[in-house]
Amino acid sequence: MQTGTAPSTQLVRRVNASAMLKAMRGAGVVTGTELMAATGLSRATVISICDELVRLGWLQELENQRGAGDYVKGRPARRFIFDDSAASVIGIDIGATKITAIVADMAGASLSKVTMPFRTYNVPADERADVLDRIAADALHKAGVSADSVLAVSVGVAAPVSRDGEVLTAQEFWKSFDVRRIVSERHGWQVLLENDANLAALAERWQGTAQGVDNLVVMLAGDRLGSGILESGRLLHGQVGAFGELGYLDHVDGVGDTFGIAHYAALWGREAVQDPASALRLLCDGDPEALTAEMVFTAAADGDAAARKALDRVAHRMARVIGSISTLVNPELVVIAGGVAASAHALLADIGKELPDFTFTPPRLATSVLGDGIVSLGAIRHALDYVEEHALDLYPASLPKHPDAG
């Protein structure tokens, strides 16, 4: 029976094309023989897909070595180069107080990065959509690329997202703010939606301290805690996209909620302000409500005992958090990420000392060096993965229309 043969053949071809693009991105000029070695594909398959990718505008075929003046014996090798500038993708992080957008080329190189705050906390959906429009336009303008060059837009949200890109229905706010529909209708772009911590995990494994680590937990640990989890290099979602959600921490002794490092550093630091000997009083001009987590970390680094005590409590709590999730998923590495990451490095030694008290499988610990742009960077990786997977269906704006169009 031949039922399903054509779809199966097309699927194999898509997978092979994706493997080819992965091998060519950032590799410079490559020959068919080099692509065979990199992908394990036959010469006939490599050349056939190269020809198609050239036709679609993804690759450029260069003059062979003999034609370029370099003498070679036998048949000259065909040479190809991936066109990094053929198209672009956008990665967007929608937070509670701001939006960050990155425009990147097909090699993943950032062309622009723009951050725009909201007028106030948790603004209405229509206003949030208007800010999203403005930041996308600004990012494209600064990148020097046109809107019709965008092949995919990936958006990170602080909510569980299913494999199909749907926000978990329990999240009421996202019912009124349908990001995919709004962006698609206004711009005509292919829009992907993903949980912000999941995107942080993709970014960390791509360009951060977790490169090459297949079993990984990345924790966004600022005001709230969220986690993205990779197992054997695969991002885990669960049945409805809630894998890695940390609501269970409400029931963990010594934790009790999902507030993060920044929240508790400031909260417990405010208690320390009552100590007249603490430098924290000077840092916040005697107003506990003005105290920030960064002030507490600064005072602790300068040797302030009250600030150090507050951070000891934070470290103890994070050891319980990381211990619980490590017992569940047994990662090799846990990375603390987000805007708090640089400061949180001071907590790692204390967390590491206490971890064996809360898990039989303590992981390595690290803090991210990717800064508060980690989610939008992960969104770029997410968008590039989509483009690679659908390379035979997408085509760069360098072509006036699809080659197969009438």
Side-chain angles (χ1 to χ4, degrees):
M1 278 183 73
Q2 297 299 313
T3 303
T5 300
S8 297
T9 301
Q10 185 63 15
L11 176 61
V12 170
R13 194 162 182 80
R14 291 175 194 275
V15 171
N16 289 342
S18 175
M20 295 267 289
L21 288 181
K22 281 184 172 70
M24 296 198 73
R25 178 177 287 126
V29 178
V30 294
T31 65
T33 299
E34 290 167 337
L35 286 172
M36 289 169 57
T39 63
L41 300 174
S42 69
R43 179 175 296 279
T45 298
V46 165
I47 296 303
S48 173
I49 293 177
C50 278
D51 286 341
E52 186 164 4
L53 293 176
V54 168
R55 183 174 65 88
L56 290 172
W58 287 112
L59 305 185
Q60 295 177 9
E61 182 170 7
L62 305 180
E63 189 176 12
N64 65 53
Q65 289 173 297
R66 183 174 292 160
D70 295 329
Y71 175 77
V72 293
K73 293 182 178 180
R75 185 172 62 183
R78 295 178 65 183
R79 302 186 303 155
F80 303 91
I81 188 169
F82 180 77
D83 188 357
D84 295 343
S85 62
S88 58
V89 294
I90 304 178
I92 299 175
D93 174 18
I94 302 180
T97 61
K98 63 184 179 180
I99 294 180
T100 298
I102 295 176
V103 176
D105 63 17
M106 289 295 98
S110 177
L111 304 177
S112 68
K113 178 183 176 183
V114 178
T115 296
M116 192 174 293
F118 294 121
R119 173 179 51 82
T120 186
Y121 183 82
N122 212 14
V123 297
D126 288 346
E127 184 175 342
R128 192 167 290 224
D130 290 340
V131 173
L132 182 57
D133 277 351
R134 292 199 301 273
I135 195 172
D138 192 17
L140 287 170
H141 176 72
K142 290 183 176 179
V145 299
S146 63
D148 64 1
S149 76
V150 177
L151 293 185
V153 177
S154 175
V155 181
V157 298
V161 178
S162 72
R163 291 185 182 88
D164 297 327
E166 298 291 340
V167 175
L168 189 65
T169 54
Q171 301 285 325
E172 290 295 330
F173 172 77
W174 296 104
K175 289 183 180 179
S176 65
F177 185 43
D178 187 345
V179 179
R180 289 204 302 177
R181 179 186 59 79
I182 290 170
V183 176
S184 294
E185 289 180 354
R186 294 189 180 188
H187 302 282
W189 294 328
Q190 175 65 44
V191 182
L192 316 170
L193 215 59
E194 183 55 275
N195 172 261
D196 55 358
N198 285 346
L199 293 179
L202 293 181
E204 200 61 46
R205 190 169 184 266
W206 179 32
Q207 293 190 6
T209 56
Q211 294 180 56
V213 177
D214 288 338
N215 297 291
L216 169 70
V217 172
V218 174
M219 302 195 73
L220 293 177
D223 190 59
R224 290 276 185 175
L225 296 172
S227 67
I229 300 172
L230 276 74
E231 196 279 326
S232 298
R234 180 171 59 95
L235 191 62
L236 300 181
H237 287 88
Q239 181 183 359
V240 294
F243 200 95
E245 289 296 304
L246 300 177
Y248 76 92
L249 293 175
D250 293 352
H251 310 289
V252 174
D253 186 42
V255 180
D257 55 44
T258 58
F259 285 106
I261 290 174
H263 173 86
Y264 274 104
L267 178 66
W268 289 331
R270 287 171 192 138
E271 295 178 11
V273 170
Q274 307 308 318
D275 182 350
S278 175
L280 292 174
R281 292 179 66 85
L282 294 175
L283 289 174
C284 66
D285 293 325
D287 179 8
E289 294 305 312
L291 190 72
T292 65
E294 191 58 43
M295 292 177 185
V296 179
F297 277 103
T298 298
D302 290 339
D304 185 84
R308 183 65 258 174
K309 183 177 179 181
L311 293 187
D312 286 345
R313 295 174 68 185
V314 174
H316 176 76
R317 183 175 182 273
M318 286 303 298
R320 289 177 177 269
V321 170
I322 294 172
S324 67
I325 199 167
S326 296
T327 298
L328 289 171
V329 301
N330 189 25
E332 172 188 343
L333 174 67
V334 172
V335 179
I336 296 174
V340 74
S343 298
H345 187 78
L347 303 176
L348 293 189
D350 288 340
I351 295 173
K353 288 177 184 176
E354 294 200 39
L355 263 183
D357 294 337
F358 304 111
T359 178
F360 289 111
T361 56
R364 293 190 293 114
L365 302 175
T367 51
S368 176
V369 297
L370 299 180
D372 60 4
I374 187 172
V375 173
S376 45
L377 182 63
I380 290 296
R381 179 67 265 170
H382 188 221
L384 289 173
D385 288 344
Y386 173 85
V387 171
E388 286 178 352
E389 184 179 349
H390 297 86
L392 299 183
D393 302 313
L394 302 170
Y395 56 100
S398 56
L399 299 179
K401 62 179 182 178
H402 195 289
D404 293 331

